Each structure stands twice: as structure tokens, then as C-alpha cells.
Amino acid sequence: MLFRRIFQFLIVYIIGIAFLLMIKMALSLSNYVIPGVPLIVETAGQVFKDYFFDVMSTMSVTVLGQCISIVMAFTVGIAGRKSSWMGSFIKVTAYNIQAYPIVALAPIIFILLGDGFIPRLLIASMICYFPLLLSVLGIMATPVKDIEHFYIATGRMRWQLEVKIRAFENLNKLVTVISGSATLAMAGTIVAEFIAANAGIGYSIRVALYQSDLAKILVALFMIGIIISIYQGILETMGEQIKIRWSVSKQGEAL
Amino acid sequence: MNKKNLMLLLLLLLLISAAPLAYAKDIKINYRLKWLFNTSVAGDIYAEAGGFFKEAGFAVHVKEGSPEKNAINELELKRADFGVASADQVIRALDRGAKILVIAQLFQVNPMQWIYRADQPEIKTLQDLKGRRIGVTFGGNDETIMNTLLAKAGIRKKDLTLTGVRFDFTPFLRRKVDVWPVYRNSQGVILKDKLERERERVNFFNPADFGVNFVANSVITSESMMKNNPDIVEEFLNALLKGWEEAMDPGNEEKVLKAVKKFDRGNNNDIRKKQLDATRTLIKPSVHIKIGTIDINAWKQTESIMLGEKQIKKPVYIETRLIWKKEK
Amino acid sequence: MHLECNNLNFTYPDSDITVINNLSFSMDTPGFNALFGPSGVGKTSLAKIIANSNSRSGDEIMTEHIDRILYSYNLERLPGWSSTGNHLNKVTPPEKLSLKEQLIRVFELQDVLDSRFSQLSMGQQNRINLIRYLLQDFDLLILDESLANVDEKLRETIILAIKDLFAGKMFLYISHNLIEVSKLCSQILVFGKSSENKDCSMIKGQDYKKGYQLNKQSLDITMLEIMNAF
């Protein structure tokens, strides 16, 4: 699964480069507008090491941000699952905020908190938090009647059991939404860095843009693509492992 | 229909058919600027607004620039006929094989300077930069200029603190950075005004005072444009520079500010006036200097700085790309 | 032990259809009783009303010596994250462990305890669900088609075992099986077809116990009575 993802990305990337080169040839553009393959390769050699660290920096923010938002989403989602006024308030707030492009708040966050790790982390967390929260809320607020009835009727229901039942029954949905939020977190972090940070691959892209250096931008895009493919592949593999360990197919059918 | 009515109808038809002919006479030109519309491009705006382009038979679409929109790219992609680019952009493009020529140099003095508070010791020599917290745009030409200054003075990076800056001034306003890069005639005016309201005075640090002449915005066109339409190039340039001369004339100040105001919504009238005054000193530093004059030595110095900073791989012999218009 | 229903009326929410119309009946002794009738006639609705009678206002349902009422149905599931045996152990009170073993034998579930719920057949799933209800404290247990998809012979074995092991409890068995309820149930509340404007009637069943002798004639009479009331 991991290698398939990387392979798919490489195909898309190579097609993209080929397309650019076609335009370059057709319009006889210089290396300034669209760099040729030798220039891209040469630039890659020059910036690879720096960009690798930049991408790792962005990645660390992304992963940590996603972890924080998963923990927060589950905490708030579990707390807000009842239909008390608190639960309703949390639901309405989450629904309204998640429609807003959080990344547009990036400049304000950077102005108030300065450059550095924490503002980038905050943006990465906020971007994937609200969609995650809504999914978790939806799952946690929906009773699984057929399983829960026995425990409620016999007075054995506890909130931990209720959460476990609802999470388990919606495992597929949870894994999907967590994998999806990885891309969201990465994209959001890069955009935030692009707008207003002083580290990370988004920032490096902005610097390359100042210099109108498309070769550097293409190298940066390549590294982003590889890393995000690897990350998503890992997440999906982990999800599959959890599913295999926790649940079994019906009637012995292969998963 | 009687004779009189027939004559009137014929006259009407003639006028209608003549109108497109009149427009067809105007050559359509796309002119891409380097940055957003503001007072720094007063001459470019006024050349159009004051009818100088039209007089020369051009229908010019003056388009503002941005980080994504690059005049050199536009020339190559044939989306622009003329453009404005800074010297570092031009030299970097030539290093990558772009086929462009410089036909005029707008800024005789580079507006790229640094602002600092007057309550700090004045920067009289380059050694005074030691120990200061200096802002530079990483990857920008202000970084190149600062590196050149430091190299010239033999100052090592650890003798001071270089911080990467963004668009907003907050670190400077909060005194986290002492020396902040600005365009003297645009942000410089705004910041000076802002600080003076807080009763803080400022000074400007100009690299040119220390012998580092890095050329700024210049007018460019493609080699093919020059080869195929040299007359258009000459006439366009004449009209443009005429527009600039008029825009820089204090007598036309009110008209010029009115024309700029239509495009520059961000500032108020007072700021715009101060920006125009500052622009004047950079575009036409003395009455003897003709607007658009190309300072070949400054260009050569710019190229050698970039070569020294490894911004370009090999010399581009910039002097072979500088075309000065023929005197009429 | 006494279960009484007085002039009960029930309409589905957001509907004009009266499902239960002025129903009255009483069941006076522990035993294995049935609710019998066509689909949609209100058996499950009545069962749920009885199950919630302790928290319900109104005195249509009255009980005596019936403190704990449990309601089980055929679509229930056990959690899927560990084996059914594991889940069963967790809900078995310590004093009922031997009863659990006995029930597992009777219900023929020895071989599935290591499997997860989703790996069981539907019949096995319903049986394991019923076992865990039987292991709880209750005075009245309602079985809403809780033995669906179980073959007839095993169903009979199970019901006879329940009657034997839980003689002091009351059961309400909802079923569509005429022979089964006629043979094995003590009191059968038959729901008449609403389209024919028939009321409910209480019919006495054969109430066979373990090791019974089949009396075909009596059985036929009971079945006829039920069919007439239907």
C-alpha cells in the first residue's frame, strides 16, 4: 500500500513535469520561466539537503498537530456527545467554525504569537481539528441501539463502554477521517508557512517564489509529495492493522 | 426619403464606420509593472492617465505586479510587451537564458534602504552595523545587498543578528528588530509617519552612501520585440519617459496624485503626497539627470555582487543588454 | 406474581393509526406465556410498554412482585472486539457461573465461545444473546423473536430447559409459530386482526414440560381456538 502510494505520486509528478516541458518546447521558453531537466536536477542537488530538513520540520509540525487535534477531538467529542446544552453548544460551534478557512487566520496568529514552532503547530492543529471533531461528535452522539440496549437495560452501561462501542462500530469511518485529516494538516501547515512563517517547506517555497526560481519550487513539490505519500501510507497501514486486530470479517470472509 | 435626410444618414454611417478605424490606429500594448499600484509607479500611471500613450498612438494596459506575476515571465509567454523588473531579476533571468533587454532605468537611486530609530546610535560607517539586530527578506535582494555590505566591511554574520522578515512591521514596532528593510519611498514613508505620531524619530540607512549601488526597477522588453518592432519600442519609451517627466514635475503634483489615488486605495492623501516627494528624489535626483538614464557602472556592480554572492553561475555581460534610446 | 393491563391504548407517534385499542388482560402466575398475532398488530409495542412500565406514568400496566423486567429482541449484537465467551464472562454474576455452563450446553454453543460475534450464524447470535439475558436478575423476561433462525427441535429443547431452570419467573414469548406456542406456552395472548375488528383474547396453552407426552387432540383444540381468535 505504501509503495503503491509513492508510485502513484511519482506518476503524477512525472506527468506534471512532462507537461511543463511540453509547454517550454512549444513556446520556446527559457530556463528562467520553465527550467529544463538538467537545471531541475542541478537545483535538486543544491537544495536537497536543506529542503529535506525543511520538509521534516513541516512534517513534524503536521504530525504533532494532527495528534493533538485527534486527542482534542476525541476529548471534546466524547464530552459533547450528550444532548445537554453543553453538547448542543459544542456541536453548533464546531459546525460553524469548520466551515471557515482557518488558514486565513494564519497571519493574525503569526502577528500575535510571532514566528516559530508554536504558531505553526497551532494552525496545523486547528485546521484538522474541526472536521475531526465533527466526525467524532457524529459518531459519539449516535447510539448503537442493538449493542447498547443490553447494557443499559441491565444497568451495566458506563461512559467508557459506550465510547468503546460507538468507536468500534465506526472504526472504518474514523480511520478514513484521520487519514484524510493528514493531508489537510500538511496542506494547511504549508500554506501557513507560506504566508507568514520563517521555517518549513512552505517558507522555502515562498523564498523560491521571490527569486522566481521554478526549479526550486518543483524540487520542493517533489519532496512534499513523497513525504505526504509515505505519511498517508503509514497511516493507512496502521489503520488496517488496527482493523485486523480489533475486528474480524463476517463468516470468515477475507477483509 | 428627401435629400437632406439621406445626407445625414450617410454622414452618420461614415462616422460609425470611422470610429473602429480610429481605434484600430491605436496599437494595443501590455505593460506589466513589478509591484502593486502605488506612488512609486506614478510615472507609469500618469503616462496612461495623462494621455501620453494615446498621443503616441498606443492603447496601453498598465497591469500591476505581485510575487506571482513576473514581468520577465510575461514577456516570454508573450502576455506582455514591456515590463518593469529590478536589476537582480533581470540578471538572474539572463543567467537562465532569458532573451530580454533593458531600455530604461527608472530608479536612479535604489529605494531599498533600512529604517532605524533615531534614539539608537547613527550608522555613520559600516562598522556601526555590528551588534545590531537587522531584518532582511531571506531570498530577497535586500539580503543580497546586506551580504555585500557586510562582506565589504569584513563583518562576520556572528557580529550581528540577521532576522528574516515578512510583510508586517510588528517585530520592528515591538523593538524586536532594530534595523528594518523598507522601500524608502513607500513603506519607509508610512513607517516614518507612524513612528512620528508616537513621537519617535527615524533615520534611513542607504547602501549607496557606502558605495554599494544595486540597481532597482528598470523597463525591459524582449529581444524579439526590439528586433521586429524597434519603432514601437522607441515610441513607447518616449511616451513613457515623457509621462514620468511630467509626473515628477512638482507643478503637476495635484493631477498626478489624483491619478494615483484611483489605483492606490490603501493609503491616505497625506501619505501619498509624502511618497511622491520621496519618489521624486529617487527617480530624478537632480534636474540635470534625464529620467530613464542607464547607469552602466551601477549595473556592472550589481552583476559582480550577484556573481560574488553566487546568485548567478557565470557572468552575463549585462552591459550588452542595456539599450539606451537614441537622442532625437 | 401478577401482570395486569387495563384499557391500554397506544398510537404510533406522528401517526393516526391506533395500534393498541383498549387492551385489557392479566397474567397471574409465573410461567412461559406468549404474545401471538400477525405482523404489525402491536406485539412489540406492547412488549416495550410493559418493559418500560416502571418508568411510565399512568396505571394501565400494573405489576405485583415483578420488579425487574428485561426486554430482549432478535437483532441485538454483542460487541465485536473480543470473543463471545469473553463478553459472556464479563456479564455473568459469579454465583451463576455453573448456570452459564449449563445453558451453554443446552443452547449448543460450546464451539463458538472463542469466535467473535460477527463470525457466528444468525441462530448462534440470537442464542448467545438470550443466554446473557437469562444470566441476569429478572422477574419478567420478554423474548421478542429471540429464538429466530434457530431450528425447531433446538428451540423446543431451549424453551423446555428455560421453563425447567426458571420455574419461578415469568416469560413473554413473542412468536409466529402456532404449534410451538400451543404446545409450550401457559397463557397465550392472541391479537386479533385489526382489519376484522377482532379484540385480543387469552387462550390457555398446553404448557408442556420436559419429558412431556403429546396429546394431539388437546393440541388441535388449542390451535383451533387460537386460529379462531386470530
Side-chain angles (χ1 to χ4, degrees):
Chain A
M1 178 150 284
L2 181 61
F3 291 118
R4 194 176 65 193
R5 271 212 172 263
I6 296 179
F7 188 63
Q8 282 168 349
F9 161 71
L10 284 173
I11 301 259
V12 170
Y13 186 80
I14 289 172
I15 290 176
I17 297 281
F19 181 67
L20 282 175
L21 291 175
M22 265 173 24
I23 298 179
K24 180 184 166 79
M25 273 195 332
L27 299 177
S28 307
L29 300 172
S30 71
N31 274 345
Y32 184 72
V33 181
I34 295 181
V37 172
L39 181 57
I40 297 175
V41 170
E42 189 192 327
T43 308
Q46 283 166 359
V47 301
F48 185 81
K49 198 167 127 213
D50 288 332
Y51 279 13
F52 179 75
F53 286 117
D54 288 337
V55 148
M56 284 297 130
S57 171
T58 302
M59 211 47 221
S60 64
V61 173
T62 302
V63 172
L64 195 54
Q66 205 188 358
C67 290
I68 291 173
S69 71
I70 290 171
V71 167
M72 275 172 50
F74 271 88
T75 308
V76 177
I78 291 169
R81 76 192 187 287
K82 298 288 179 205
S83 45
S84 59
W85 72 264
M86 176 67 130
S88 306
F89 175 73
I90 291 175
K91 277 193 201 79
V92 168
T93 313
Y95 185 72
N96 283 313
I97 294 181
Q98 73 92 31
Y100 190 81
I102 302 290
V103 79
L105 294 176
I108 298 180
I109 290 173
F110 281 112
I111 287 176
L112 292 175
L113 298 176
D115 292 339
F117 189 73
I118 298 293
R120 290 193 292 147
L121 185 63
L122 184 60
I123 289 165
S125 309
M126 277 170 66
I127 281 171
C128 48
Y129 171 67
F130 290 100
L132 261 175
L133 177 63
L134 273 176
S135 290
V136 172
L137 268 175
I139 288 169
M140 289 300 155
T142 310
V144 184
K145 203 166 69 77
D146 294 340
I147 299 180
E148 293 176 20
H149 170 75
F150 171 79
Y151 295 99
I152 296 172
T154 57
R156 291 175 191 276
M157 184 55 91
R158 302 280 174 273
W159 71 263
Q160 297 92 327
L161 180 60
E162 189 179 90
V163 166
K164 196 170 177 181
I165 290 171
R166 294 179 188 181
F168 182 82
E169 286 295 302
N170 292 283
L171 202 53
N172 271 335
K173 213 195 272 187
L174 282 172
V175 169
T176 306
V177 90
I178 288 175
S179 294
S181 73
T183 321
L184 206 58
M186 185 84 168
T189 310
I190 291 175
V191 173
E193 287 168 356
F194 187 85
I195 292 174
N198 66 351
I201 195 70
Y203 175 70
S204 300
I205 292 178
R206 199 175 93 221
V207 171
L209 193 58
Y210 275 158
Q211 299 166 339
S212 299
D213 196 333
L214 187 54
K216 280 188 181 161
I217 294 174
L218 288 171
V219 173
L221 290 177
F222 177 80
M223 304 203 65
I224 291 169
I226 289 284
I227 290 292
I228 197 83
S229 300
I230 293 174
Y231 184 48
Q232 276 188 315
I234 291 175
L235 278 179
E236 276 163 12
T237 308
M238 274 169 58
E240 287 301 310
Q241 287 303 312
I242 291 174
K243 278 196 259 186
I244 287 170
R245 272 186 47 186
W246 246 26
S247 73
V248 206
S249 57
K250 289 198 160 94
Q251 313 286 350
E253 206 183 299
L255 261 169
Chain B
M1 194 185 284
N2 59 30
K3 250 191 183 171
K4 195 175 166 199
N5 286 341
L6 194 62
M7 289 299 288
L8 276 169
L9 185 63
L10 271 170
L11 192 62
L12 195 63
L13 282 169
L14 209 65
L15 279 169
I16 292 169
S17 55
L21 277 176
Y23 282 118
K25 205 189 93 190
D26 282 356
I27 300 168
K28 284 198 172 61
I29 296 280
N30 284 319
Y31 179 36
R32 172 69 72 182
L33 303 182
K34 182 167 187 294
W35 195 239
L36 308 167
F37 285 133
N38 60 29
T39 327
S40 323
V41 299
D44 298 315
I45 293 173
Y46 198 62
E48 206 280 318
F52 297 97
F53 284 138
K54 184 133 178 52
E55 212 182 290
F58 295 115
V60 178
H61 188 179
V62 183
K63 301 181 187 180
E64 62 182 358
S66 67
E68 300 85 34
K69 294 191 198 106
N70 175 312
I72 300 171
N73 283 353
E74 302 251 315
L75 285 177
E76 282 218 24
L77 293 165
K78 311 248 184 292
R79 286 205 291 255
D81 306 291
F82 298 93
V84 176
S86 55
D88 60 305
Q89 280 182 313
V90 170
I91 292 170
R92 210 176 272 124
L94 291 171
D95 183 49
R96 296 262 173 106
K99 295 185 173 28
I100 49 175
L101 300 167
V102 177
I103 57 176
Q105 177 183 325
L106 291 172
F107 281 88
Q108 301 301 310
V109 180
N110 195 331
M112 182 78 255
Q113 299 178 17
W114 277 259
I115 193 173
Y116 61 102
R117 287 178 174 79
D119 61 16
Q120 287 161 10
E122 203 184 330
I123 300 172
K124 293 204 179 104
T125 71
L126 286 177
Q127 298 300 322
D128 295 332
L129 291 172
K130 276 186 183 168
R132 308 241 188 179
R133 293 171 301 180
I134 303 179
V136 284
T137 317
F138 286 138
N141 54 9
D142 54 320
E143 186 190 18
T144 310
I145 295 171
M146 182 50 69
N147 287 342
T148 310
L149 288 163
L150 296 178
K152 195 170 186 199
I155 299 174
R156 290 161 307 175
K157 292 265 166 74
K158 60 186 180 96
D159 293 330
L160 42 72
T161 312
L162 283 179
T163 317
V165 306
R166 304 182 303 268
F167 294 128
D168 80 293
F169 310 134
T170 314
F172 180 69
L173 295 173
R174 286 163 72 174
R175 290 184 180 263
K176 289 203 156 75
V177 177
D178 305 317
V179 189
W180 189 265
V182 288
Y183 284 102
R184 176 72 183 83
N185 60 330
S186 55
Q187 308 144 324
V189 169
I190 294 170
L191 260 182
K192 180 168 184 244
D193 187 70
K194 206 175 178 97
L195 286 165
E196 273 171 4
R197 283 170 202 274
E198 308 292 319
R199 300 195 198 293
E200 289 185 72
R201 293 187 47 243
V202 294
N203 287 329
F204 287 92
F205 162 68
N206 184 356
D209 293 341
F210 299 91
V212 174
N213 288 303
F214 206 85
V215 179
N217 290 3
S218 306
V219 185
I220 55 171
T221 190
S222 58
E223 278 181 11
S224 60
M225 183 69 166
M226 183 60 102
K227 186 165 159 221
N228 301 329
N229 303 291
D231 294 337
I232 292 181
V233 173
E234 190 182 337
E235 284 167 24
F236 173 83
L237 191 58
N238 282 343
L240 177 67
L241 294 181
K242 207 167 167 191
W244 269 101
E245 289 281 355
E246 295 295 312
M248 294 296 104
D249 182 350
N252 291 327
E253 190 175 271
E254 220 179 284
K255 280 190 277 187
V256 173
L257 284 173
K258 194 170 160 196
V260 171
K261 185 175 170 169
K262 271 195 199 147
F263 296 98
D264 175 31
R265 305 278 158 84
N267 293 307
N268 61 43
N269 293 337
D270 181 52
I271 292 286
R272 265 193 291 274
K273 183 183 175 327
K274 288 179 178 156
Q275 286 177 331
L276 187 59
D277 291 337
T279 304
R280 215 176 275 126
T281 62
L282 304 170
I283 299 278
K284 199 176 170 71
S286 100
V287 284
H288 307 294
I289 295 182
K290 206 167 161 27
I291 292 183
T293 305
I294 294 179
D295 181 351
I296 297 182
N297 287 331
W299 277 92
K300 280 182 173 172
Q301 188 186 17
T302 307
E303 182 183 335
S304 87
I305 289 172
M306 289 180 73
L307 202 56
E309 287 290 307
K310 299 198 176 22
Q311 302 258 323
I312 50 173
K313 291 195 289 280
K314 55 192 188 314
V316 300
Y317 305 106
I318 188 63
E319 62 276 9
T320 61
R321 305 305 185 117
L322 306 171
I323 311 290
W324 182 227
K325 72 177 189 73
K326 301 192 257 307
E327 294 290 294
K328 274 225 161 105
Chain C
M1 212 180 244
H2 184 77
L3 170 67
E4 194 177 311
C5 178
N6 293 312
N7 300 319
L8 179 68
N9 288 297
F10 179 72
T11 312
Y12 282 134
D14 304 325
S15 164
D16 296 329
I17 307 166
T18 308
V19 182
I20 298 174
N21 195 4
N22 237 1
L23 175 66
S24 296
F25 69 89
S26 95
M27 292 175 178
D28 297 315
T29 51
F32 200 87
N33 304 326
L35 299 181
F36 186 84
S39 293
V41 83
K43 303 190 293 297
T44 299
S45 303
L46 174 62
K48 284 181 177 171
I49 291 171
I50 295 172
N52 290 325
S53 60
N54 288 335
S55 52
R56 205 179 128 92
S57 59
D59 53 3
E60 294 105 329
I61 305 286
M62 283 178 14
T63 60
E64 212 179 288
H65 299 302
I66 297 179
D67 300 318
R68 290 204 64 188
I69 305 174
L70 290 179
Y71 169 79
S72 76
Y73 60 101
N74 64 333
L75 294 172
E76 284 189 86
R77 293 183 286 136
L78 270 67
W81 59 75
S82 60
S83 67
T84 51
N86 207 346
H87 284 296
L88 196 58
N89 287 337
K90 287 214 175 104
V91 300
T92 306
E95 65 274 15
K96 296 200 179 171
L97 282 170
S98 58
L99 175 61
K100 180 192 79 164
E101 297 303 323
Q102 200 176 358
L103 285 171
I104 287 170
R105 272 198 310 277
V106 170
F107 281 56
E108 292 182 13
L109 288 173
Q110 304 92 314
D111 298 331
V112 305
L113 293 176
D114 289 332
S115 307
R116 305 234 185 148
F117 190 77
S118 55
Q119 293 175 300
L120 272 52
S121 70
M122 278 162 66
Q124 289 167 333
Q125 288 177 343
N126 284 335
R127 278 181 272 153
I128 197 91
N129 180 46
L130 182 54
I131 284 188
R132 59 177 185 161
Y133 273 97
L134 290 169
L135 291 169
Q136 307 309 310
D137 278 329
F138 64 92
D139 299 305
L140 165 61
L141 175 60
I142 303 172
L143 295 83
D144 193 344
E145 308 208 39
S146 304
L147 289 171
N149 300 103
V150 180
D151 68 79
E152 212 169 306
K153 194 159 176 289
L154 183 55
R155 265 211 318 273
E156 185 171 307
T157 308
I158 286 171
I159 293 174
L160 288 170
I162 288 174
K163 288 171 72 168
D164 185 38
L165 291 167
F166 297 93
K169 308 284 184 193
M170 187 184 285
F171 292 89
L172 274 181
Y173 181 57
I174 298 177
S175 169
H176 290 127
N177 193 316
L178 178 59
I179 299 179
E180 188 177 72
V181 301
S182 304
K183 271 166 83 174
L184 303 170
C185 294
S186 166
Q187 295 176 85
I188 304 158
L189 181 63
V190 181
F191 285 72
K193 277 193 190 142
S194 51
S195 55
E196 293 174 22
N197 268 327
K198 286 196 167 159
D199 278 334
C200 298
S201 340
M202 193 67 87
I203 310 285
K204 211 164 151 20
Q206 296 297 301
D207 198 16
Y208 286 154
K209 306 253 191 307
K210 229 182 194 174
Y212 68 89
Q213 281 278 55
L214 176 65
N215 183 336
K216 202 169 174 314
Q217 210 174 4
S218 309
L219 184 61
D220 284 344
I221 293 169
T222 304
M223 282 166 61
L224 256 164
E225 275 182 37
I226 294 173
M227 287 308 293
N228 279 338
F230 201 57

